[in-house]
Amino acid sequence: MALKGFPPLRPITLKDPYKMVFVCLGNICRSPTGEGVMQHLVKEAGFENYFLIDSAGTASFHTGEPANSKSRAIAEKHGVQLLSRARQFRSADLDEFDLILVMDNENRDNVLRLCTTDEQREKVQLLRDYDPKPGDGEVPDPYYGGLDGFENVFQIVKRSCEQLLFKLKSQVSV
Ligand code: 4NP
């Protein structure tokens, strides 16, 4: 099981960027927000070449779609562009990425079910483990609700990504 609050750490270099994938159910609301926000934060910090950031969904029903229009509107209001196209999470991602950031317990169960080694399991962490205001530990699914739910998701994701990047920055060798 993943250690709460501790990403698997290693030296991060230009030759060996740190790879993160954000995972939700549909890959059109929460995980594209994670991808866009983290991309924005690493760029702002001048570290965009040290990190590779992606997102995926445990389900395939929105494959190929851009991020949800409400997710994009809220992100743009905060100066963040969401440019992802939905894809399904695959077993190869368990080895490809250093850190797999899931949005809720169901996402975590679905990803853990694909794991075959402890090394893979250790990479799977709830994004909200990094939220200074962790609530119930999950990033709530905003899909069937109004704009305020999408704003809430954005704020949770932003707080969590800021905290996570703060930890990871100490591993960057410039
Ligand atoms: P996401 O939100 O997992 O944050 O992308 C959802 C998107 C689509 C559906 C559910 C949640 N859906 O049921 O189609």
Side-chain angles (χ1 to χ4, degrees):
M1 221 41 207
L3 285 173
K4 190 173 158 66
F6 291 88
L9 293 176
R10 63 166 176 80
I12 301 171
T13 63
L14 278 178
K15 271 192 162 175
D16 199 7
Y18 195 81
K19 297 182 182 176
M20 284 179 260
V21 59
F22 292 83
V23 179
C24 61
L25 174 62
N27 192 208
I28 54 169
C29 302
R30 292 166 293 174
S31 59
T33 302
E35 178 184 345
V37 165
M38 192 55 109
Q39 197 73 58
H40 181 84
L41 291 173
V42 298
K43 204 167 178 188
E44 205 172 54
F47 285 147
E48 66 262 43
N49 296 326
Y50 292 85
F51 292 92
L52 276 171
I53 300 157
D54 196 3
S55 66
T58 57
S60 64
F61 35 75
H62 292 286
T63 294
E65 291 181 22
N68 178 282
S69 57
K70 289 180 191 158
S71 297
R72 281 188 281 131
I74 293 291
E76 268 165 36
K77 191 180 94 179
H78 295 289
V80 174
Q81 274 197 300
L82 305 187
L83 302 171
S84 62
R85 290 277 169 175
R87 72 166 179 94
Q88 189 172 23
F89 187 83
R90 49 184 177 257
S91 297
D93 293 326
L94 297 166
D95 297 318
E96 174 70 17
F97 290 91
D98 293 289
L99 189 54
I100 298 161
L101 293 153
V102 294
M103 298 291 162
D104 62 32
N105 292 322
E106 187 183 301
N107 308 150
R108 185 173 59 179
D109 289 346
N110 284 326
V111 172
L112 285 175
R113 210 167 287 133
L114 299 173
C115 293
T116 54
T117 67
D118 284 344
E119 193 185 352
Q120 293 173 341
R121 285 181 202 100
E122 197 199 27
K123 297 176 180 182
V124 183
Q125 303 203 340
L126 283 163
L127 176 64
R128 245 189 135 175
D129 280 353
Y130 298 96
D131 186 354
K133 293 193 255 176
D136 66 0
E138 300 190 301
V139 183
D141 181 351
Y143 187 61
Y144 292 105
L147 264 185
D148 54 340
F150 286 81
E151 174 70 34
N152 184 42
V153 164
F154 184 90
Q155 294 301 334
I156 292 170
V157 166
K158 179 164 177 277
R159 285 197 306 267
S160 306
C161 286
E162 283 170 347
Q163 199 62 30
L164 172 59
L165 186 59
F166 180 77
K167 281 174 188 272
L168 292 173
K169 274 196 318 199
S170 64
Q171 299 298 307
V172 174
S173 300
V174 287

